[in-house]
Amino acid sequence: MSLYELLGTLETGFVFGLVALGAYLTFRILDFPDLTVEGSFPLGAAVCAALIVTLGWNPWLATGVAAVAGFAAGWTTAYLNVRFNILHILAGILLAISLYSINLRIMGGPNEPLLGVDTVFDTFGGFGVAGYVISPIFLGAVTLTVLILINLFLHTGWGIAMRAAGANPSMAQANGINVGSMKLFGVGLANAMTALAGALFAQIFGAADAYMGIGVIIVGLASVIVGTSLLPSRTILQATLACIAGAVLYRFAVALALNADFLGLRASDVQLVTAVLVALALIGQVSGIGIKRFFKTSKPK
Amino acid sequence: MIELKDIHVTFNKGTPLETPALRGVDFKVPTGQFVTVIGSNGAGKSTSLNVLAGIVPVERGTVTLGGEDITNWPVHKRARMISRVFQDPKIGTCEDLTILENFALAHGRTAPRGIRFAIERSMRAATAERVKVLGLGLENRLDDKVGLLSGGQRQAVSLLMATTGQSSVLLLDEHTAALDPKTADFVLETTRTIVERLGLTAVMVTHSMAQALSTGERTVMFHRGKIIFDASGKERAGMKVEDLLHLFKKTQGEELSDDNLLLG
Ligand SMILES: Nc1ncnc2c1ncn2[C@@H]1O[C@H](COP(=O)(O)OP(=O)(O)OP(=O)(O)O)[C@@H](O)[C@H]1O
Ligand SMILES: [Mg+2]
């Protein structure tokens, strides 16, 4: 693996670190398995690209609006669940499917190239360092900032209310917490982070694509599962750091698998590799708690 | 004052599993009164508390608190005025959070929560002082997750949490039932002290007739979704468990058939 490839892998690892933090928030904190991310990741990319290319917006502003759009998507999923009692997983699938069509509308086609326009990465053009060195540093800083903000938030009055709403809804209600509002806000927040990741991803690769959301949910989960089973994750700080580390490790695992010539894998095999990795992680995970229980049925005695 | 007026609740209405749980309950508790509630299994005691707390919607009737109709208020909104301790110690506290964080949550019931740190120094000091009274050494474990505590410790913490802030009504649903006798006595004694000191309006469900008669100042008995007996003052003061059984037989024309109720 060349230095160039290494930095590139690090770059996508950090971007998916944001997705992993979102998955941590929904799956672990809120106990809400959220599949909206399959749609909100490309939504972030589509909104950002359309604003920059079609409307000539400032890339930073466009990236911010992309995150807001992601929030709206997550909020809608939670609303379907809270207000109309639609099963969380199904609500997420409904949103992901409708976002597929919405994204095509936003971009006016299956993709939107970001050619010849300024992206957030062009802001650092004048520093005299090559872009491929700057961008992983920048993305690492973004992801760490989000991590710190989440850690701070989860220790505020609202933050512990959100943790209680996920961990013990009866107790949360009895303590005056509106559990529904917490879900709306939390799932919204997680999708804002995912859409932010999508917007940054599109700017790295120079295009937004309607299909770029496929498998995002699994990548997020893989990062959380791999990270928290390999690294200590007792405190929130440890767990969130583990999620980001998991995302980076996961990208390296994929890159290595694709690079290993003897395996004979192609780039298009990424989804299969991901799914196999997640399945292996689930099989290997010892503890019965956490994410696993959503996806494994209990063993017949 | 809290009041249930002509409350009807039927579970699984219109299905073969239809169960009438409450059939016209009128129950009025003046401010500052401590009432104990007894009744056989399935009599409707828990359902009544759930109606008060807002967990079970009513089919007919009204719930009022301090003269205000709160029948359609959601649970979390009522929680500002009504707090509760559950039978299961696991429900009353959040095991993933520390003792201190649990108290911060309870504090937020009556005070605004915000985007400030949930735990500041003054809260730590105040909480340490409160749990110290329990004599369980919890003041040294404020940063331990509640999941590490025993059932009795958790129930004691639940009780203190439920009496944090200025909510005025306390609902206790067999909150000592899951504990060993010694711990149960301890938690019950603590309950008496706190309710008296804070002058709370309290409703306590218990399965022990003796406990019901010796706690608080009034006792009501539920049977098949109705209140069949309500005693306070002198009438109750001279009462023994046998009198209760006798009374039940006289009014209902049958023997009370609940072994749990006869014990103690
Ligand atoms: N969630 C529910 N769904 C269906 N039926 C219920 C539900 N909760 C209570 N019931 C039924 O309502 C009736 C009253 O139950 P409730 O829990 O109020 O009794 P209880 O007096 O608290 O009894 P116990 O002493 O056993 O706790 C019972 O017949 C019970 O089976
Ligand atoms: Mg009961």
Side-chain angles (χ1 to χ4, degrees), chain B residues 11-12 19-21 39-48 87 173-174 207:
Chain B
F11 288 105
N12 305 313
T19 321
S40 42
N41 291 114
K45 307 176 298 289
S46 298
T47 306
S48 299
Q87 176 173 347
D173 192 355
E174 300 188 50
H207 254 122

Side-chain angles (χ1 to χ4, degrees), chain A residues 7-295:
Chain A
L7 290 173
T9 307
L10 211 52
E11 206 174 53
T12 42
F14 284 137
V15 170
F16 281 103
L18 291 172
V19 177
L21 288 176
Y24 173 75
L25 207 57
T26 49
F27 281 83
R28 282 274 161 99
I29 298 287
L30 280 170
D31 203 17
F32 189 110
D34 175 38
L35 306 189
T36 322
V37 292
E38 293 274 310
S40 57
F41 186 82
L43 174 71
V47 167
C48 180
L51 288 176
I52 295 176
V53 176
T54 320
L55 300 180
W57 278 32
N58 173 303
W60 291 90
L61 198 59
T63 306
V65 172
V68 174
F71 185 95
W75 190 93
T76 310
T77 297
Y79 192 76
L80 289 177
N81 171 254
V82 171
R83 178 72 179 75
F84 303 109
N85 274 323
I86 297 178
L87 184 69
H88 35 35
I89 295 191
L90 183 57
I93 293 175
L94 290 177
L95 252 287
I97 288 178
S98 29
L99 283 170
Y100 177 73
S101 298
I102 293 172
N103 292 336
L104 290 175
R105 284 256 178 190
I106 293 174
M107 295 187 290
N111 53 50
E112 179 85 87
L114 283 160
L115 295 173
V117 292
D118 269 0
T119 67
V120 292
F121 299 100
D122 292 311
T123 317
F124 311 103
F127 291 177
V129 188
Y132 67 87
V133 179
I134 287 279
S135 51
I137 295 176
F138 166 65
L139 290 167
V142 168
T143 306
L144 275 180
T145 307
V146 172
L147 175 139
I148 291 168
L149 288 177
I150 288 184
N151 270 276
L152 292 175
F153 171 71
L154 288 176
H155 286 95
T156 63
W158 275 22
I160 59 170
M162 184 180 283
R163 284 156 68 194
N168 188 345
S170 309
M171 179 270 188
Q173 266 191 333
N175 282 288
I177 295 162
N178 187 338
V179 174
S181 307
M182 287 299 159
K183 283 189 197 167
L184 294 176
F185 182 62
V187 179
L189 204 60
N191 281 281
M193 297 190 295
T194 308
L196 174 64
L200 293 170
F201 196 79
Q203 293 177 75
I204 298 174
F205 287 97
D209 188 304
Y211 298 100
M212 67 196 271
I214 295 175
V216 164
I217 178 67
I218 295 297
V219 177
L221 276 179
S223 309
V224 177
I225 296 171
V226 169
T228 56
S229 39
L230 291 182
L231 299 165
S233 56
R234 270 183 306 113
T235 66
I236 292 178
L237 182 62
Q238 286 174 344
T240 45
L241 280 171
C243 289
I244 295 181
V248 173
L249 279 177
Y250 160 77
R251 291 309 304 188
F252 274 103
V254 170
L256 288 177
L258 292 181
N259 263 349
D261 288 331
F262 63 92
L263 287 175
L265 294 170
R266 304 187 207 137
S268 56
D269 294 328
V270 162
Q271 310 295 358
L272 179 63
V273 172
T274 304
V276 170
L277 278 177
V278 170
L280 287 178
L282 286 173
I283 294 165
Q285 210 183 22
V286 201
S287 104
I289 50 161
I291 286 164
K292 192 170 99 173
R293 68 194 172 79
F294 289 119
F295 300 101

Side-chain angles (χ1 to χ4, degrees), chain A residues 152-161 163-164 167-168 170-179 234-235, chain B residues 75-76 79 84 86 90-94 96-97 101-102 104-106 109 113-118 145 161:
Chain A
L152 292 175
F153 171 71
L154 288 176
H155 286 95
T156 63
W158 275 22
I160 59 170
R163 284 156 68 194
N168 188 345
S170 309
M171 179 270 188
Q173 266 191 333
N175 282 288
I177 295 162
N178 187 338
V179 174
R234 270 183 306 113
T235 66
Chain B
V75 183
H76 64 91
R84 52 188 325 203
F86 298 86
K90 289 208 163 109
I91 298 182
T93 46
C94 185
D96 293 345
L97 300 181
E101 285 168 333
N102 270 276
L105 275 179
R109 206 152 36 78
R113 291 176 219 280
I115 293 291
R116 280 168 292 117
F117 279 115
K145 291 207 171 145
M161 283 170 58

Side-chain angles (χ1 to χ4, degrees), chain B residues 167-207:
Chain B
S167 50
S168 48
V169 179
L170 177 64
L171 306 178
L172 307 155
D173 192 355
E174 300 188 50
H175 68 306
T176 60
L179 309 175
D180 66 84
K182 204 167 135 241
T183 319
D185 282 345
F186 169 73
V187 172
L188 184 65
E189 207 39 59
T190 314
T191 309
R192 287 196 185 110
T193 320
I194 293 178
V195 170
E196 189 168 335
R197 185 159 45 80
L198 300 178
L200 295 171
T201 310
V203 181
M204 180 177 97
V205 174
T206 169
H207 254 122

Side-chain angles (χ1 to χ4, degrees), chain B residues 23-98:
Chain B
R23 302 180 296 143
V25 170
D26 289 294
F27 185 39
K28 188 159 149 183
V29 188
T31 305
Q33 193 175 61
F34 189 170
V35 192
T36 55
V37 176
I38 47 173
S40 42
N41 291 114
K45 307 176 298 289
S46 298
T47 306
S48 299
L49 291 206
N50 285 336
V51 166
L52 283 170
I55 290 169
V56 170
V58 300
E59 198 180 327
R60 203 166 96 205
T62 52
V63 186
T64 54
L65 178 68
E68 189 167 4
D69 186 341
I70 60 166
T71 316
N72 295 316
W73 286 25
V75 183
H76 64 91
K77 193 171 169 197
R78 296 187 197 195
R80 234 173 288 150
M81 280 89 89
I82 303 174
S83 60
R84 52 188 325 203
V85 181
F86 298 86
Q87 176 173 347
D88 183 353
K90 289 208 163 109
I91 298 182
T93 46
C94 185
E95 60 186 2
D96 293 345
L97 300 181
T98 65

